[in-house]
Amino acid sequence: MDFTLTSEQQALRDRVRTWLKQNLPTDWGTRLRSTSDIPRPEAYEFMRQWQRRMYEAGFVGLTWPREAGGQGLTFMEEMILAEEMALAKAPPVLNILAIGMAGPTIVAYGTEEQKRRYPPKMLSCEEIWCQGYSEPNAGSDLASLQTRAVKDGEHYVINGQKVWTSLAHIADWMMLLARTDTEAPKHKGITYFLLDMKSPGVTVKPLKQITGDAEFNEVYFDNVRVHEAQILGGLNNGWQVGLTTLMFERLALGFGLQVRLRIALDGLVDLARQTKKNGVVATQEPVIRQKLAQLWIDTEVFKYTGARAITKLLKGELPGPEASAGKLMWVEGHQRLQELAMEIQGPYAQLMKGSEWAVAEGLWQHTFLRSRANSIEGGTTEIQRNIIGERVLGLPKG
Ligand SMILES: Cc1cc2nc3c(=O)[nH]c(=O)nc-3n(C[C@H](O)[C@H](O)[C@H](O)COP(=O)(O)OP(=O)(O)OC[C@H]3O[C@@H](n4cnc5c(N)ncnc54)[C@H](O)[C@@H]3O)c2cc1C
């Protein structure tokens, strides 16, 4: 990959840098920060406004085609934006599942009408999206999903349950996978629907996580009617369309999260500078220094691996199974970073927000606990290793 910027790309970098300097909200303090990609509940409204402002400045959906409301640029420009966001420690956008997954999938498979209707409102954050894939008995083995969609005239009637559905409690739309053919082999009878979350018969029940936040939900469908025009990518073609979304998800997680990893690492270095360990400032302690240096190296490797993955996209291809490597790097790097944050704090690591002795109002405790989910969400670490083994390295199936 050639990292030399064209004059237009340099101009974009300067424009982003200046805009971020002038527009970065002053109330973006530790209270709202999180190193996860899914925003914390108290930050929703703030991040909705932030995404709107970024969109109006032309900085959301850089790679999306102009007719879908994007800027028609390449992943090179997206990388420049990511770099500047990391340098400025800028907040992420709220509509993360739409920008990272639903939008690119609609652009790839949607009808002209679908491409005009949905992506622009994703970018402006007028409509929030969630992902209805996982079910109580279908997570890693997604093709076993049992939510049914039965044809009734021009509609399909949906019955069943999804679980772990992030942001469903504030979502307007869902990317829904449902079984439309019970006779076909399990990968072949699935259809991808664009479901209006306000449809009668949809019930959302929040689930609390170890952090105390309720980021995700159970979603129940009781005779929910969805018009056939809401199918994305054709009847019984949901497995292929759904996998494309997952590839984009891993790409977004791997590539987009390098920004969050770098911001978290800068924060960790600040924490180490402010903390005494064995009688010296933690940054002077040899073992801590080595661990920080290793994390810095890993963060750089993560960044350049992301650059390698986008070479494929620059050639106009869809992201492939190698995006799983980026996802793994994020997970391992981020979990180690959070563990080091606990080690640096020593006994104070046990104190959450609310204690007068808690460090940074318990921010690191929250992000440490949240980071445990990184190796589950977006496909578990074991599944990513299987994908890399079988589909990248060509090893026999385990
Ligand atoms: C914070 C968070 C947010 C999420 N958000 C969403 C969302 O918005 N939408 C959505 O649809 N889902 C979401 N999920 C669900 C997530 O995708 C699933 O939890 C994940 O795919 C694992 O599925 P499972 O929980 O059913 O575990 P299982 O599939 O039952 O796995 C249990 C264990 O067995 C291992 N395992 C399973 N199969 C294999 C195999 N073939 N080889 C080796 N090991 C294996 C797994 O790695 C895991 O350790 C979210 C999860 C989390 C934690």
Side-chain angles (χ1 to χ4, degrees):
M1 178 167 198
D2 184 0
F3 288 102
T4 321
L5 300 186
T6 63
S7 54
E8 287 85 7
Q9 287 166 342
Q10 278 177 22
L12 173 74
R13 190 193 55 195
D14 295 344
R15 198 156 61 83
V16 174
R17 193 170 290 181
T18 311
W19 188 87
L20 282 172
K21 257 197 203 116
Q22 289 168 350
N23 289 278
L24 206 64
T26 47
D27 53 349
W28 170 236
T30 46
R31 194 173 62 83
L32 297 176
R33 265 188 207 168
S34 159
T35 49
S36 94
D37 60 322
I38 300 287
R40 297 190 67 181
E42 64 262 39
Y44 291 159
E45 207 33 56
F46 165 84
M47 287 167 77
R48 197 189 282 270
Q49 310 277 346
W50 171 245
Q51 178 173 340
R52 176 100 206 163
R53 283 167 61 197
M54 279 195 61
Y55 167 69
E56 283 164 359
F59 300 145
V60 190
L62 292 190
T63 58
W64 296 19
R66 287 194 171 274
E67 55 276 22
Q71 301 293 321
L73 296 170
T74 71
F75 273 88
M76 192 67 194
E77 281 80 10
E78 192 75 55
M79 217 169 87
I80 293 167
L81 177 72
E83 185 85 21
E84 292 304 316
M85 301 261 298
L87 280 174
K89 299 187 172 52
V93 296
L94 175 64
N95 209 2
I96 187 87
L97 301 166
I99 306 299
M101 294 181 249
T105 312
I106 290 176
V107 168
Y109 288 99
T111 59
E112 288 312 309
E113 169 55 21
Q114 287 170 337
K115 282 191 236 179
R116 263 195 310 274
R117 162 66 186 82
Y118 299 104
K121 291 191 176 186
M122 295 174 171
L123 295 172
S124 61
C125 209
E126 279 165 85
E127 291 178 345
I128 308 276
W129 282 69
C130 65
Q131 180 191 24
Y133 278 29
S134 305
E135 296 183 3
N137 290 312
S140 303
D141 183 16
L142 185 60
S144 294
L145 61 89
Q146 285 167 19
T147 294
R148 291 281 309 277
V150 178
K151 192 151 173 52
D152 179 22
E154 288 183 0
H155 288 81
Y156 282 82
V157 181
I158 318 271
N159 280 288
Q161 186 204 337
K162 298 290 169 181
V163 71
W164 321 126
T165 321
S166 302
L167 299 183
H169 52 295
I170 56 164
D172 302 284
W173 291 92
M174 172 187 272
M175 309 163 242
L176 168 71
L177 289 183
R179 188 162 300 286
T180 33
D181 184 348
T182 49
E183 305 299 316
K186 62 180 187 177
H187 292 84
K188 299 221 163 117
I190 296 171
T191 299
Y192 195 119
F193 292 92
L194 308 176
L195 177 80
D196 183 347
M197 289 293 282
K198 294 182 189 76
S199 308
V202 176
T203 307
V204 177
K205 291 190 180 165
L207 291 167
K208 237 186 204 178
Q209 288 159 271
I210 192 174
T211 54
D213 288 349
E215 285 173 14
F216 54 24
N217 306 269
E218 293 175 298
V219 182
Y220 294 89
F221 309 102
D222 182 12
N223 289 320
V224 177
R225 293 179 74 78
V226 50
H227 195 271
E228 60 189 4
Q230 299 299 104
I231 290 177
L232 181 69
L235 184 65
N236 294 329
N237 196 29
W239 187 249
Q240 195 191 335
V241 184
L243 281 192
T244 306
T245 302
L246 289 182
M247 299 292 182
F248 279 115
E249 176 175 26
R250 276 156 211 162
L251 187 84
L253 280 169
F255 174 63
L257 286 176
Q258 58 166 281
V259 179
R260 310 263 66 89
L261 193 61
R262 190 109 68 82
I263 293 173
L265 180 56
D266 285 350
L268 185 63
V269 173
D270 285 347
L271 174 73
R273 284 200 180 110
Q274 292 156 16
T275 311
K276 278 205 161 175
K277 200 124 182 86
N278 301 329
V280 290
V281 174
T283 44
Q284 302 298 324
E285 222 264 340
V287 175
I288 300 284
R289 280 175 79 82
Q290 277 174 23
K291 288 186 178 175
L292 285 171
Q294 188 59 51
L295 278 170
W296 190 86
I297 293 165
D298 294 346
T299 306
E300 289 296 294
V301 172
F302 181 36
K303 181 170 114 186
Y304 290 113
T305 306
R308 199 164 49 180
I310 67 168
T311 308
K312 195 166 174 181
L313 295 165
L314 290 174
K315 291 187 196 149
E317 297 170 30
L318 290 174
E322 64 284 346
S324 291
K327 204 268 166 167
L328 269 188
M329 284 183 160
W330 149 253
V331 169
E332 295 191 350
H334 189 231
Q335 289 184 343
R336 260 188 299 115
L337 187 153
Q338 294 298 338
E339 281 157 18
L340 184 54
M342 297 301 106
E343 188 182 333
I344 289 173
Q345 291 178 45
Y348 291 97
Q350 296 170 74
L351 301 176
M352 294 288 284
K353 188 177 180 169
S355 156
E356 63 173 306
W357 298 103
V359 177
E361 292 189 28
L363 169 79
W364 289 102
Q365 281 61 35
H366 181 277
T367 49
F368 167 76
L369 292 173
R370 179 59 182 77
S371 73
R372 303 323 298 167
N374 295 158
S375 40
I376 305 170
E377 59 197 327
T380 68
T381 288
E382 291 76 14
I383 294 302
Q384 306 304 333
R385 289 193 202 287
N386 283 350
I387 293 172
I388 293 170
E390 290 163 20
R391 295 175 53 204
V392 180
L393 302 175
L395 299 175
K397 269 186 178 288

